């Protein structure tokens, strides 16, 4: 749906975007992550045609945003971080105006506006002036204009900024609904939000793309065997004997906690997934598992490492931060 080729944006001597390349496929929710000043909003503004690039090319559904702006922009709905609202208009007037700008045929405009009002839940305030609306409702109106006409691509720059928890949940739910029929690009500083709603994440730092993958893959250490952690009330000797009979295990580290619970970290052989085998082994010996989970680094750890070091290869250095090291103990002597 979107192809960015060798994109460069300079402001005088400042290089905001540094030879950016990526492709976005249809039917996914993409998370756009990066620290302040990383180039996220600049990239979004170029993709939507609000800004021109210094170098490079952006294709929207095969249409060059510079050479075929109308054909390209027709496929995009955009909500900037500051919604482009006219405060002296009512909600209905504004959405009808937006429908006219989007060249929705006159006979279809009323129905189109009705649909988005219902979708973003502003039906009860459609006759109120936008200046009299709360921050949450203004954000909904901005989202309504982005969705109006149901374009193939919906780009949302910090859509939940300044909203209360209830409003954030409602916007996230709406994004998931939109993703069923649209490609959604979401920029956010809230990593938990991106982790929850996005299928694929792109991390930008210093104007460069430093990582792009699914949230699950980003949270794995590249080239390292996976580690599974279990907790059980069985004695350490019994746990060790049970795990020794499970194929695919490379290493076992066991520690008995003060509360009588035994915790074990199991390192898998490369390419193995031993979780089902562990469960079956413990169930066969009538031993209860309190916990069975795969250990990973968090998205926050990945983000901090990549944006501080500004290189994809530094993801491997997360090994040093102790998040997954077998045998690490806390102040109480626990693993």
């Amino acid at each position: 749906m979107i192809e960015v080729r060798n994109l460069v944006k300079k402001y005088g001597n400042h290089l905001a975007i540094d030879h950016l390349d990526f492709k976005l496929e249809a039917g996914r929710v993409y998370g756009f992550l990066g620290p302040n000043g990383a180039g996220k909003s600049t990239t979004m503004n170029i993709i939507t045609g609000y800004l021109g690039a210094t170098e490079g090319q952006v294709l929207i559904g095969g249409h060059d945003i510079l050479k075929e702006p109308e054909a390209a922009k027709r496929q995009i709905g955009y909500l900037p971080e500051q919604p482009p609202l006219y405060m002296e208009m009512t909600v209905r007037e504004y959405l009808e105006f937006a429908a006219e700008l989007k060249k929705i045929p006159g006979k279809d405009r009323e129905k189109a506006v009705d649909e988005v009002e219902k979708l973003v839940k502003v039906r009860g305030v459609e006759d109120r002036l936008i200046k009299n609306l709360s921050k949450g409702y203004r954000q909904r109106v901005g989202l309504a204009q982005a969705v109006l006409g149901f374009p193939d691509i919906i780009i949302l720059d910090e859509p939940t900024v300044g909203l209360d928890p209830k409003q954030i949940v409602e916007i996230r739910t709406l994004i998931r609904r939109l993703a069923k029929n649209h490609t959604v690009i979401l920029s956010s500083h809230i990593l938990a939000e991106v982790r929850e709603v996005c299928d694929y994440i792109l991390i930008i730092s210093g104007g460069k793309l430093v990582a792009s993958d699914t949230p699950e893959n980003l949270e794995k250490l590249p080239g390292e065997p996976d580690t599974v952690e279990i907790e059980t009330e069985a004695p350490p000797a019994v746990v060790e004997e049970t795990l020794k009979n499970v194929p695919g295990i490379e290493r076992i580290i066991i520690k008995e906690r003060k509360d009588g619970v035994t915790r074990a970290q199991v390192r898998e052989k490369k390419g193995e997934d031993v979780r089902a085998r562990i469960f079956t082994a413990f169930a066969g010996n009538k031993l209860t598992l309190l916990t069975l989970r795969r250990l990973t680094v968090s998205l926050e750890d990945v983000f901090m490492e990549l944006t501080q070091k500004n290189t994809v290869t530094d993801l491997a250095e997360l090994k040093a931060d102790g998040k997954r090291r077998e045998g690490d103990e806390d102040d109480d002597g626990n693993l």
Side-chain angles (χ1 to χ4, degrees):
M1 290 299 295
I2 297 178
E3 186 173 357
V4 173
R5 299 176 178 173
N6 197 37
L7 198 64
V8 175
K9 180 63 178 178
K10 295 180 180 178
Y11 295 101
N13 294 325
H14 174 63
L15 186 61
I17 301 177
D18 187 3
H19 299 89
L20 204 58
D21 284 278
F22 59 82
K23 293 181 182 179
L24 306 184
E25 300 175 2
R28 282 181 169 182
V29 181
Y30 289 90
F32 226 44
L33 289 178
N36 289 332
K40 302 188 307 297
S41 293
T42 300
T43 302
M44 286 185 162
N45 283 329
I46 292 174
I47 288 174
T48 56
Y50 277 68
L51 282 178
T54 305
E55 298 176 27
Q57 187 179 33
V58 175
L59 301 178
I60 310 294
H63 300 284
D64 189 307
I65 193 70
L66 182 63
K67 297 178 181 177
E68 305 171 88
E70 286 197 21
K73 292 179 182 179
R74 196 174 294 121
Q75 301 178 68
I76 297 174
Y78 182 37
L79 174 63
E81 185 173 353
Q82 298 295 328
L85 304 176
Y86 291 91
M87 297 299 175
E88 300 302 323
M89 286 184 172
T90 66
V91 172
R92 185 74 184 193
E93 289 171 343
Y94 172 73
L95 292 177
E96 288 175 347
F97 174 60
E100 185 177 352
L101 290 178
K102 290 190 174 190
K103 297 185 178 179
I104 296 175
K107 60 183 177 62
D108 299 325
R109 283 178 196 164
E110 185 174 352
K111 180 181 178 182
V113 171
D114 286 340
E115 285 180 341
V116 295
E117 284 183 345
K118 189 180 299 183
L119 181 66
V120 304
K121 298 181 180 179
V122 294
R123 203 62 184 271
V125 298
E126 60 181 348
D127 294 325
R128 293 179 58 181
L129 293 176
I130 293 175
K131 69 178 182 180
N132 294 331
L133 297 179
S134 67
K135 166 72 174 177
Y137 271 105
R138 289 182 188 179
Q139 197 76 355
R140 288 173 184 270
V141 175
L143 186 56
Q145 68 78 26
V147 177
L148 193 60
F150 295 100
D152 294 329
I153 301 164
I154 298 172
I155 300 177
L156 309 174
D157 193 357
E158 300 287 350
T160 60
V161 65
L163 303 185
D164 64 39
K166 181 175 182 293
Q167 293 167 336
I168 289 173
V169 170
E170 290 174 345
I171 294 296
R172 288 179 185 174
T173 301
L174 177 57
I175 290 171
R176 291 192 202 98
R177 289 179 61 187
L178 292 171
K180 294 178 181 178
N181 300 303
H182 306 271
T183 299
V184 179
I185 303 173
L186 168 68
S187 170
S188 176
H189 285 93
I190 306 173
L191 299 186
E193 179 172 81
V194 173
R195 180 68 176 81
E196 183 176 338
V197 303
C198 296
D199 306 311
Y200 206 88
I201 295 175
L202 296 92
I203 300 179
I204 292 181
S205 183
K208 295 180 179 180
L209 183 67
V210 295
S212 61
D213 212 327
T214 64
E216 295 77 16
N217 286 341
L218 284 174
E219 291 173 341
K220 290 181 181 179
L221 291 175
E224 286 292 303
D226 283 317
T227 300
V228 174
E229 182 178 80
I230 66 168
E231 289 180 330
T232 176
E233 294 177 341
V238 174
V239 173
E240 184 175 8
E241 190 62 32
T242 303
L243 290 173
K244 280 182 177 178
N245 295 319
V246 176
I249 291 179
E250 184 177 272
R251 184 183 175 192
I252 303 168
I253 297 176
I254 297 175
K255 187 78 175 182
E256 186 175 16
R257 298 189 334 204
K258 291 180 180 179
D259 58 3
V261 172
T262 300
R263 180 184 295 174
Q265 289 182 348
V266 175
R267 219 171 139 171
E268 299 171 320
K269 293 179 180 177
K270 192 171 182 179
E272 298 282 354
D273 186 345
V274 300
R275 288 174 296 177
R277 299 171 199 166
I278 291 174
F279 178 85
T280 301
F282 275 76
N285 290 333
K286 297 183 179 180
L287 301 173
T288 302
L289 283 174
L290 304 176
T291 300
L292 173 61
R293 64 191 180 98
R294 186 179 301 286
L295 297 184
T296 63
V297 294
S298 69
L299 186 58
E300 286 82 359
D301 294 323
V302 175
F303 177 81
M304 290 301 295
E305 183 69 24
L306 291 175
T307 54
Q308 286 173 359
K309 299 292 186 179
N310 198 27
T311 171
V312 178
T313 57
D314 287 319
L315 185 59
E317 294 180 14
L318 284 169
K319 289 181 291 184
D321 72 4
K323 294 296 181 182
R324 277 186 49 174
R325 286 178 295 175
E326 297 88 347
D328 280 4
E329 298 183 357
D330 60 22
D331 293 335
D332 294 324
N334 297 324
L335 278 172

